[in-house]
Amino acid sequence: MDPVRNPYAPGAGQRPPELAGRKKQLDAFDVVLERITRGRPERSVVLTGLRGVGKTVLLNQLRSAAIARGWGTGKIEARPDQELRRPLSSALHMAVRGIAASHRDPERVDDFLGVLKAFALRSTADKGMRERWQPGIDVPAKTGRADSGDIEIDLVELLLDASALAGDVGVGIAIFIDEMQDLGPADISALCAACHELSQDTAPLIIVGAGLPHLPAVLSASKSYSERLFSYHRIGRLERAAADLALIAPADREDVEFTPEALDALYAAADGYPYFVQAYGKATWDLAADTPITVEDVRVAAPTAEEELAVGFFGSRYERATPAEREYMRAMAELSVDDGSVPTSAVATELGRKPASLSPARDGLIKKGLIYSAERGTIAFTVPHFGRYLRAQTDEPAAV
């Protein structure tokens, strides 16, 4: 098979050639956009799921849907070491630029940009000029609005002003936040407060976040009413029909077919996880001699796909962990044959240690996004099949 024509695309956030199995979420978001455009109340949206289930791809697709309706949009990726103020300022600036050309009052747009600039610069107001950061907004900063220094007060004021600007044009603004669980507690609290105010005012501005399975718990810990602020969508494995479609549709456009047995083997190998579907599909295409692709082609290609996953998907994450954190993860893997959640007390017992002595390793893994607390007293891997990967290593997993 010609590798140049290979349609499959395993990559972080890379859109697959066929976005299968996500119609429910796409249709629901279309309803949200239409209701807000008509002045109806709606909640912001949160997508949750493990690594490799396609949250970022879906987030980008939702953003495209908003842009197609003329909405202003901006996107950020949260990082544990970065406050929200700067990246959000840039994202909101992009969103406002998207609708500014349609606004009949340029002075009103400039007034808002002045407020946005003041909000952005507040994060560096107390630092030396050498460290000052400029947000790229070519109007003077305005004082007295969204510049108090209290992120919760400032964010509420800023997003209400932005929503009013969008309302003038008859559209909305959507801010997309990937890796939302990595926001700091103060920023999470501020976002929840802002979403609360926006929903009460039926304002045409929403937050669309994506994060790991414990994101709802992070939001709930910040504000007790957060479960009513967001519409939550759990993104999981593809059902068999959707996984088959993700393979068949791109191949069909290249006049290539799969035998039923090959599709059986590919689903068994990928287990319905979108990233794995693309990885096994790509490796099988490259090693298949001709169409139709057979179960023997899948068998021959599987080691290639597994080697790529071992290095790029699993190994790269494993290498980020310290020796103590790796020991903790290997104990988790031994305890969780099905890669489900395990009690933290059981990990301590497995390692012959007191639970308190393992807290630094556990907390370090959570901060690195390698494990999450499924519920109080339990932990689980954020990466599907990570436990299986660790159990398959006879020695230390290979360095990347």
Side-chain angles (χ1 to χ4, degrees), residues 327-346:
E327 181 184 41
Y328 194 95
M329 288 192 293
R330 287 195 294 271
M332 284 178 59
E334 292 301 321
L335 290 166
S336 178
V337 177
D338 60 354
D339 285 0
S341 60
V342 299
T344 54
S345 59

Side-chain angles (χ1 to χ4, degrees), residues 184-314:
D187 291 337
I188 285 284
S189 179
L191 268 180
C192 288
C195 288
H196 195 198
E197 290 289 335
L198 291 165
S199 64
Q200 288 178 328
D201 286 8
T202 321
L205 191 152
I206 56 170
I207 302 298
V208 186
L212 294 172
H214 66 293
L215 176 55
V218 171
L219 295 168
S220 181
S222 175
K223 298 290 187 184
S224 60
Y225 51 75
S226 67
E227 68 275 4
R228 290 169 284 161
L229 292 178
F230 301 96
S231 174
Y232 293 97
H233 299 266
R234 180 171 292 181
I235 312 303
R237 295 183 295 177
L238 298 175
E239 295 181 356
R240 174 62 191 270
D244 284 356
L245 180 63
L247 293 165
I248 293 171
D252 186 59
R253 292 191 282 268
E254 299 291 339
D255 296 321
V256 173
E257 297 180 347
F258 291 87
T259 66
E261 295 77 14
L263 292 172
D264 290 342
L266 284 166
Y267 188 76
D271 201 20
Y273 287 104
Y275 188 92
F276 296 169
V277 169
Q278 296 299 311
Y280 280 94
K282 185 176 189 302
T284 302
W285 176 288
D286 283 346
L287 293 174
D290 202 352
T291 183
I293 294 173
T294 68
V295 67
E296 181 62 17
D297 295 326
V298 177
R299 186 190 68 78
V300 171
T304 299
E306 289 160 4
E307 181 180 358
E308 180 179 331
L309 289 169
V311 174
F313 193 73
F314 297 119

Side-chain angles (χ1 to χ4, degrees), residues 52-305:
V53 297
K55 299 186 301 298
T56 300
V57 168
L58 183 55
L59 197 69
N60 291 338
Q61 193 66 20
L62 298 183
R63 185 182 181 189
S64 295
I67 292 172
R69 288 174 173 264
W71 280 42
T73 72
K75 182 186 173 186
I76 66 176
E77 181 177 320
R79 298 206 308 264
D81 59 344
Q82 184 178 50
E83 293 182 354
L84 177 64
R85 198 178 285 260
R86 285 190 186 183
L88 181 67
S89 300
S90 298
L92 195 53
H93 187 202
M94 180 181 295
V96 169
R97 287 173 60 191
I99 63 174
S102 303
H103 205 287
R104 296 181 179 180
D105 187 353
E107 289 187 6
R108 181 156 158 73
V109 175
D110 286 348
D111 284 344
F112 171 76
L113 291 176
V115 172
L116 177 58
K117 188 171 186 176
F119 172 86
L121 291 177
R122 191 62 180 80
S123 65
T124 56
D126 299 327
K127 297 181 179 180
M129 288 299 294
R130 182 177 60 83
E131 298 179 356
R132 287 184 67 84
W133 166 79
Q134 290 296 327
I137 299 174
D138 297 326
V139 298
K142 295 180 70 71
T143 58
R145 184 76 173 167
D147 63 349
S148 72
D150 184 318
I151 184 62
E152 189 161 315
I153 294 172
D154 293 350
L155 191 60
V156 169
E157 293 180 348
L158 180 73
L159 295 188
L160 285 173
D161 287 1
S163 68
L165 197 69
D168 293 343
V169 186
V171 295
I173 287 175
I175 301 299
F176 296 82
I177 305 177
D178 206 359
E179 303 293 348
M180 192 173 177
Q181 77 283 338
D182 285 339
L183 291 174
D187 291 337
I188 285 284
S189 179
L191 268 180
C192 288
C195 288
H196 195 198
E197 290 289 335
L198 291 165
S199 64
Q200 288 178 328
D201 286 8
T202 321
L205 191 152
I206 56 170
I207 302 298
V208 186
L212 294 172
H214 66 293
L215 176 55
V218 171
L219 295 168
S220 181
S222 175
K223 298 290 187 184
S224 60
Y225 51 75
S226 67
E227 68 275 4
R228 290 169 284 161
L229 292 178
F230 301 96
S231 174
Y232 293 97
H233 299 266
R234 180 171 292 181
I235 312 303
R237 295 183 295 177
L238 298 175
E239 295 181 356
R240 174 62 191 270
D244 284 356
L245 180 63
L247 293 165
I248 293 171
D252 186 59
R253 292 191 282 268
E254 299 291 339
D255 296 321
V256 173
E257 297 180 347
F258 291 87
T259 66
E261 295 77 14
L263 292 172
D264 290 342
L266 284 166
Y267 188 76
D271 201 20
Y273 287 104
Y275 188 92
F276 296 169
V277 169
Q278 296 299 311
Y280 280 94
K282 185 176 189 302
T284 302
W285 176 288
D286 283 346
L287 293 174
D290 202 352
T291 183
I293 294 173
T294 68
V295 67
E296 181 62 17
D297 295 326
V298 177
R299 186 190 68 78
V300 171
T304 299

